[in-house]
């Protein structure tokens, strides 16, 4: 090799592939390398044989499950908010040219041991089984306020300036019960814990609006999902990057990382060859000495021959079990897709139950989620470290992504992408500017 690039990217997980694509489309010369012989890393999709090899060594999948080509089983559960940042990135970078999407049929939440659809409008509130009559009236007024709020028009505020009051103030103003706060904060605003309640309300308000607008886009639920599984996403970004000059190399183990005398990144060595760049982006597995472990995630992949009970026979859905409903510090997430999304053979469903580990018996911790699924044909359990970089990378030009968390949506991944892009490029991610640059290059 012995070549020079603007950026080297290590690992083909989704975060790294998005950044590689964004950098290439921005006109940067990118070399993207992975020690594995496949795309996706932790966010890969595996066929039946591969998943049995990884989780049940020595066992072969039963013939009744059909052929390998019928299965694309995700290792992590992630859905996309249809009006969210991730979909905007897909559209603006034209990665959608390589993908097909299908809506997720339902978004649900657990309350008092029962599953209910998450209401996203004042009309849905009135029909919801989540609340009693008087709470429905209070929640209806809350949603009317959310949808009618205009930051430029104080007459719509009801004395609640979201740039000054906290979400606790907002909940108190409308008299919302703790259970209603749970589904608003965790199933709509998608917060990981309750600390948001003590912060200024603008971010929570914007997150709720994003959820509502995403539901209105297609109806039923705010989420969409790529046909043939999440493993299609890294490959699609890789294709887009290649069109703009990005170079991809699989099966390239990194034997050492090179640094300049001042400690800044210089390059990497792979199979005796050196390659250089002033900056590197990589997943935590390439920089163990520069990351901290902040916990573990337990994920249980379940094969079933039926939809999840009490979800109106939906071919796909998300269920969030808020921490307060199950006496935990972290929510439990259930994400289910099926043959309708070309990830399983006809008549089969795949559900992934995940949460942050809090005890020495992680499988017991996800039991409340597993109990919602009904009979399970196969279970594949993974317990993986959650790592984050010790520093921001501005000193040594080493920009490390965060491990994927337990959530079943892409919002935290997008936050990491935008943060790394800003630090590595020295400017905010401007999708309009990227779109303009794409048009300019197309005419060259």
């Amino acid at each position: 090799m012995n070549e020079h690039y603007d950026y080297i990217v290590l690992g083909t997980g989704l975060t790294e592939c998005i950044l590689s694509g964004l950098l290439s489309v921005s006109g940067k010369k990118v070399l993207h390398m992975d020690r594995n012989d496949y795309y996706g890393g932790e966010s890969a999709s595996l066929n039946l044989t591969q998943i049995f090899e990884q989780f049940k060594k020595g066992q072969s999948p039963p013939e009744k499950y059909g052929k390998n080509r019928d299965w694309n089983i995700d290792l992590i559960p992630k859905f996309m908010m249809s009006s969210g940042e991730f979909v905007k990135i897909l559209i603006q970078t034209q990665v959608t040219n390589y993908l097909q999407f299908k809506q997720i049929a339902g978004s649900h939440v657990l309350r008092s041991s029962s599953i209910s659809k998450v209401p996203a409008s004042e009309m849905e509130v009135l029909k919801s089984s989540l609340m009693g009559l008087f709470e429905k009236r209070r929640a209806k007024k809350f949603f009317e306020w959310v949808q009618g709020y205009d930051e430029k028009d104080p007459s719509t505020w009801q004395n609640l300036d979201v740039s000054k009051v906290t979400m606790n103030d907002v909940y108190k103003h409308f008299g919302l019960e703790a259970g209603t706060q749970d589904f608003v904060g965790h199933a709509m605003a998608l917060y990981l814990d309750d600390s948001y309640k003590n912060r200024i309300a603008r971010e929570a308000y914007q997150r709720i609006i994003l959820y509502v607008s995403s539901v209105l886009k297609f109806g039923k639920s705010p989420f969409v999902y790529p046909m043939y599984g999440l493993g299609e996403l890294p490959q699609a970004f890789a294709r887009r990057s290649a069109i703009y000059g990005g170079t991809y190399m699989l099966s390239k183990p990194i034997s050492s990382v090179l640094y300049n005398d001042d400690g800044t990144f210089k390059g990497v060595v792979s199979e005796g060859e050196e390659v250089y760049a002033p900056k590197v982006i990589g997943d935590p597995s390439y920089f163990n000495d520069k990351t901290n472990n902040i916990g573990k995630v337990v994920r249980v992949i379940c094969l079933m021959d039926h939809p999840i009970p009490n979800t109106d026979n939906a071919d796909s859905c998300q269920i969030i079990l808020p921490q307060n409903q199950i006496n935990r510090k972290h929510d439990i997430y259930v994400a289910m897709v099926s043959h309708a999304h070309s990830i399983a053979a006809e008549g089969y469903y795949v559900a992934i139950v995940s949460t942050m580990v809090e005890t020495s018996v992680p499988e017991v911790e996800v039991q409340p989620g597993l109990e919602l699924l009904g009979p399970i044909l196969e279970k594949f359990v993974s317990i993986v470290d959650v790592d984050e970089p010790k520093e921001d990378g501005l000193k040594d030009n080493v920009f490390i992504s965060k491990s994927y968390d337990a959530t079943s949506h892409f919002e935290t991944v997008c936050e990491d992408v935008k943060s790394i892009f800003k630090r590595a490029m020295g400017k905010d991610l401007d999708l309009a500017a990227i779109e303009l640059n794409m048009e300019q290059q197309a005419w060259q």
Side-chain angles (χ1 to χ4, degrees):
M1 293 184 284
N2 294 315
E3 292 187 42
H4 290 78
Y5 293 83
D6 295 321
Y7 291 85
I8 293 173
V9 180
L10 302 178
T12 54
L14 183 57
T15 304
E16 288 71 39
C17 284
I18 295 172
L19 286 161
S20 179
L22 291 171
L23 292 170
S24 297
V25 169
S26 298
K28 301 301 180 182
K29 186 180 179 183
V30 178
L31 173 63
H32 201 150
M33 308 170 74
D34 195 315
R35 63 171 73 91
N36 298 314
D37 61 358
Y38 57 86
Y39 289 99
E42 273 192 65
S43 54
S45 300
L46 305 183
N47 63 34
L48 263 185
T49 298
Q50 289 170 330
I51 203 155
F52 268 80
E53 285 177 353
Q54 181 158 333
F55 293 97
K56 297 185 177 183
K57 294 189 184 300
Q59 293 188 38
S60 298
E63 291 185 6
K64 68 178 182 179
Y65 294 149
K67 299 178 180 178
N68 272 332
R69 66 173 182 238
D70 296 326
W71 293 85
N72 297 287
I73 302 169
D74 297 333
L75 293 179
I76 62 170
K78 295 290 178 187
F79 295 153
M80 288 163 259
M81 196 81 78
S82 61
S83 294
E85 291 283 345
F86 186 66
V87 170
K88 291 177 183 177
I89 290 173
L90 291 174
I91 293 171
Q92 296 277 25
T93 56
Q94 298 181 16
V95 169
T96 46
N97 292 348
Y98 315 109
L99 300 166
Q100 291 178 287
F101 295 89
K102 185 177 177 66
Q103 188 186 19
I104 296 301
S107 178
H108 301 77
V109 66
L110 183 78
R111 184 175 182 186
S112 301
S113 302
S114 298
I115 299 174
S116 299
K117 184 181 184 298
V118 179
S121 69
E122 59 268 26
M123 293 306 296
E124 287 192 357
V125 165
L126 296 177
K127 301 175 183 177
S128 176
S129 60
L130 279 169
M131 297 160 282
L133 177 61
F134 293 109
E135 182 67 359
K136 283 181 178 180
R137 291 177 180 174
R138 291 188 286 268
K140 180 175 180 289
K141 290 180 180 179
F142 169 75
F143 280 106
E144 288 173 342
W145 171 78
V146 167
Q147 293 180 302
Y149 191 94
D150 182 349
E151 291 196 54
K152 297 179 180 179
D153 183 1
S155 67
T156 66
W157 296 357
Q158 296 188 34
N159 295 317
L160 294 170
D161 182 349
V162 294
S163 66
K164 295 180 179 178
V165 300
T166 66
M167 274 307 291
N168 262 331
D169 296 328
V170 174
Y171 289 146
K172 185 177 180 180
H173 176 87
F174 290 100
L176 298 185
E177 296 174 352
T180 305
Q181 295 177 29
D182 277 346
F183 84 72
V184 170
H186 293 256
M188 296 185 72
L190 301 177
Y191 281 107
L192 306 181
D193 56 43
D194 282 346
S195 62
Y196 78 94
K197 292 182 180 181
N198 298 315
R199 299 197 295 268
I200 295 301
R202 175 184 273 125
E203 182 188 66
Y205 161 75
Q206 291 173 336
R207 286 184 175 214
I208 297 166
I209 285 293
L210 172 60
Y211 186 98
V212 172
S213 65
S214 294
V215 171
L216 293 175
K217 200 165 190 176
F218 297 114
K220 290 187 180 179
S221 94
F223 300 110
V224 292
Y225 178 84
M227 299 291 285
Y228 306 102
L230 293 183
E232 293 294 297
L233 290 170
Q235 294 185 63
F237 275 101
R239 289 178 205 155
R240 199 66 191 162
S241 176
I243 288 176
Y244 287 89
T247 301
Y248 277 76
M249 294 183 179
L250 299 179
S251 300
K252 297 293 287 185
I254 304 302
S255 55
S256 62
V257 178
L258 306 175
Y259 294 93
N260 295 305
D261 292 339
D262 62 359
T264 57
F265 178 77
K266 180 180 180 181
V268 296
V269 180
S270 176
E271 298 177 324
E273 296 182 291
E274 296 183 1
V275 63
Y276 308 104
K279 297 180 181 181
V280 64
I281 294 170
D283 72 51
S285 69
Y286 288 90
F287 301 99
N288 292 326
D289 60 325
K290 294 179 179 288
T291 59
N292 286 324
N293 178 261
I294 58 172
K296 294 180 182 292
V297 170
V298 55
R299 300 186 180 100
V300 183
I301 301 170
C302 304
L303 305 192
M304 308 181 299
D305 58 4
H306 59 84
I308 296 175
N310 304 311
T311 60
D312 296 326
N313 292 316
D315 60 23
S316 55
C317 68
Q318 173 187 260
I319 306 172
I320 292 180
L321 289 67
Q323 59 190 63
N324 295 327
Q325 296 294 317
I326 48 179
N327 297 315
R328 285 176 49 80
K329 297 176 183 176
H330 300 89
D331 297 351
I332 295 176
Y333 299 86
V334 179
M336 185 199 74
V337 284
S338 68
H339 56 90
H341 304 82
S342 299
I343 60 91
E346 185 67 30
Y348 288 100
Y349 301 74
V350 178
I352 304 180
V353 183
S354 56
T355 190
M356 289 294 294
V357 173
E358 296 178 7
T359 71
S360 60
V361 283
E363 284 190 67
V364 175
E365 295 185 50
V366 293
Q367 197 59 36
L370 295 173
E371 290 172 354
L372 300 176
L373 303 185
I376 298 169
L377 299 173
E378 305 282 352
K379 285 196 299 186
F380 307 97
V381 181
S382 68
I383 301 167
V384 297
D385 289 331
V386 178
D387 298 321
E388 65 178 15
K390 293 177 181 178
E391 298 183 359
D392 59 16
L394 295 176
K395 290 181 181 178
D396 57 9
N397 290 330
V398 177
F399 304 97
I400 305 169
S401 62
K402 296 178 180 179
S403 301
Y404 300 106
D405 59 24
T407 61
S408 52
H409 53 78
F410 272 113
E411 298 312 296
T412 50
V413 175
C414 281
E415 290 170 8
D416 198 25
V417 166
K418 290 191 293 183
S419 174
I420 293 173
F421 186 93
K422 181 175 183 177
R423 286 178 277 131
M425 285 282 282
K427 60 182 180 180
D428 288 321
L429 174 58
D430 184 348
L431 293 174
I434 286 175
E435 185 176 32
L436 178 62
N437 190 59
M438 287 165 56
E439 292 176 357
Q440 290 171 342
Q441 292 194 36
W443 287 101
Q444 289 177 356

